[in-house]
């Protein structure tokens, strides 16, 4: 499954989502209702930096 990474400007952290994934808590990720999860900088694809990520605001 491919991860989509972004920068959560609300919490100042990298996040990712897996489109189409249903998580253990029952939430399903979709373009209309993305499920953003915390990510580590080391998880970013090769040659992608934090500055390259699009910005999103993740509400908890």
């Amino acid at each position: 499954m491919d991860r989509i990474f972004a920068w959560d400007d609300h919490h100042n952290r990298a996040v990712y989502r897996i489109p189409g994934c249903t998580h253990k808590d029952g939430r399903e990720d979709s373009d209309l209702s993305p499920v953003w999860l915390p990510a580590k900088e080391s998880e970013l694809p090769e040659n992608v930096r934090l500055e390259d990520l699009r910005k999103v605001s993740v509400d908890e």
Side-chain angles (χ1 to χ4, degrees):
M1 291 185 204
D2 291 333
R3 293 180 177 188
I4 297 174
F5 291 89
W7 178 257
D8 175 7
D9 62 359
H10 187 77
H11 296 98
N12 293 316
R13 64 182 178 183
V15 293
Y16 72 94
R17 60 180 282 239
I18 304 171
C21 179
T22 300
H23 298 274
K24 291 179 185 178
D25 61 5
R27 296 182 297 167
E28 184 174 348
D29 183 292
S30 69
D31 290 338
L32 296 176
S33 182
V35 177
W36 293 105
L37 304 169
K40 297 178 184 169
E41 187 174 355
S42 62
E43 296 176 304
L44 294 174
E46 192 173 324
N47 298 323
V48 174
R49 300 176 315 197
L50 293 175
E51 298 83 25
D52 299 330
L53 301 176
R54 73 180 179 120
K55 290 184 170 109
V56 297
S57 290
V58 178
D59 293 326
E60 304 264 344

